Amino acid sequence: GENVEQHPSTLSVQEGDSAVIKCTYSDSASNYFPWYKQELGKRPQLIIDIRSNVGEKKDQRIAVTLNKTAKHFSLHITETQPEDSAVYFCAASYNQFYFGTGTSLTVIP
Amino acid sequence: NAGVTQTPKFQVLKTGQSMTLQCAQDMNHNSMYWYRQDPGMGLRLIYYSASEGTTDKGEVPNGYNVSRLNKREFSLRLESAAPSQTSVYFCASSVWGGSTDTQYFGPGTRLTVL
């Protein structure tokens, strides 16, 4: 099956700085790459996604880039705020979702 | 519109006991999923149901059974709980279950097996 690796496992940034989380995947058949945010004790919630026919997608302060050749995709959060503090999961999908192991982001006020 | 709901929120079992986790969605979605979330492991798919009347194994199905009761409800059963099944269980649903279909998660059930 698919293997998704996510780095870093923890990330601390100062408020207003940018944060970048990277994921790699192994199966070239994967064609959908969602990113989920999970606050402590809450359910995962979709924040942005990208399909394999697109290289980049942006939604306000959040952007995702995809490099199909290298099989990696990244989440970029600009102008970080304390409410961005959470665990972020990437996933890759071709017949089912395979999730990365998560990145705990802390934004320091 | 409650979205995806799960019961119970918390459960403590002794080794060997059985229980059923319940999941329901009111979004008229065709596909439903059960995941488990363990520290440092992310979310792993246990079973899924692409449509009413069908179920399939995911990445970690051993020790579990599922029932797609109707279009709205998808239950997960532990016949003989083991400490290794201590985890947070999430149910999810999607419109049609395709590889590019967004999944919406329930609030989770925190299960402890002693």
Side-chain angles (χ1 to χ4, degrees), chain A residues 38-56:
Chain A
Q38 186 178 28
E39 296 175 352
L40 189 63
K42 301 287 182 64
R43 73 189 77 190
Q45 294 200 302
L46 179 74
I47 55 170
I48 196 167
D49 57 11
I50 191 167
R51 287 166 171 74
S52 60
N53 59 346
V54 176
E56 184 174 358

Side-chain angles (χ1 to χ4, degrees), chain B residues 21 36 40 62 70 78 81 90 92 98 105:
Chain B
L21 282 64
R36 61 177 289 172
N62 292 346
N70 48 55
L78 287 70
F90 286 98
F105 285 83

